[in-house]
Amino acid sequence: MLFDVDGTLLLTHDEVYVEASRLALEGVFGIDAEGSDRPGDTATAHIRRALLSVDFPEAEIEAGLPRWCETFSAHYVRLLAVADTSHWLLGPHAAEAAGAVEHRALLTGNPAAVAHARVERLGLVALFPRGQGAFGCERENRIELFDLARGRAGNWPAESTVAVGDTPLDVSSAHAAGCHCIGVTTGRYRREQLEGADAVIADLGELAGALGALGQT
């Protein structure tokens, strides 16, 4: 079972992420560019799109993205260490739902250090150990994260892999990778916008039932 982070486990807009990204963009590329938002996309895909929107040279983007990932991750961990996140909201029943799944990992557009720092703040660190899952600075195309995550799980079969996420891109990328996807409406998208998923649930409290209906218990 592969869990998304934003809108699935973490339901609060993260200003630390925004500030760390801005600092990394300025430090690596000498520019602050926002670009268009595409929920569910990887961090590297978002930054490439933002830089292209201001006509930044593609060769310089390609050369700088690995350093942006390192710089962004370092800024994020540093800023989060002193940030007040008492207002952060954990998805309803997230801890219980994840804990009830025997084989679980993160699959997120966040860089690994960012994702692990977030789940630690959310009290989920014991459920998602390092060395499993797949992250946005490892592959730019979200579809490619699925093979990476399955490989780390001992080449877990695609047909037995279920992702849970809150965006249409979560759904389409899972299906393109040959996996199942359960959509959850705790993010910005409504049930009808996630209708391409194998099942759609209101929150993670319904996850066990959806997995059972898919024959994936």
Side-chain angles (χ1 to χ4, degrees), residues 12-199:
T12 305
H13 178 66
D14 185 358
E15 290 294 342
V16 176
Y17 189 104
V18 175
E19 177 64 6
S21 179
R22 184 188 68 79
L23 290 171
L25 270 170
E26 291 181 347
V28 175
F29 297 105
I31 191 172
D32 183 14
E34 294 186 5
S36 58
D37 185 24
R38 189 185 182 209
D41 218 342
T42 63
T44 42
H46 175 76
I47 293 304
R48 184 187 297 276
R49 192 164 54 249
L51 290 168
L52 287 174
S53 74
V54 294
D55 298 321
F56 205 85
E58 289 194 41
E60 294 183 35
I61 297 173
E62 192 68 31
L65 276 175
R67 190 157 65 92
W68 177 86
C69 283
E70 294 176 5
T71 305
F72 169 54
S73 297
H75 279 309
Y76 185 86
V77 171
R78 175 181 59 82
L79 292 171
L80 187 67
V82 296
D84 177 10
T85 57
S86 59
H87 63 292
W88 276 14
L89 294 177
L90 176 65
H93 312 289
E96 303 94 320
V101 177
E102 183 178 2
H103 302 286
R104 75 189 87 82
L106 299 172
L107 189 145
T108 171
N110 300 170
V114 173
H116 287 299
R118 285 171 148 188
V119 297
E120 182 174 1
R121 278 297 178 101
L122 291 168
L124 303 177
V125 65
L127 296 175
F128 297 105
R130 295 175 185 270
Q132 294 294 311
F135 304 91
C137 276
E138 297 180 308
R139 300 288 188 275
E140 189 168 336
N141 186 328
R142 191 181 181 102
I143 297 168
E144 296 176 4
L145 293 178
F146 287 84
D147 281 353
L148 185 60
R150 293 192 303 102
R152 288 173 173 162
N155 293 317
W156 193 265
E159 62 272 16
S160 299
T161 300
V162 182
V164 58
D166 64 291
T167 75
L169 185 59
D170 295 335
V171 176
S172 63
S173 59
H175 287 165
C179 303
H180 300 286
C181 188
I182 295 173
V184 59
T185 59
T186 47
R188 69 174 69 181
Y189 292 98
R190 300 183 300 275
R191 179 176 294 270
E192 58 269 26
Q193 294 172 295
L194 299 172
E195 63 182 6
D198 299 282

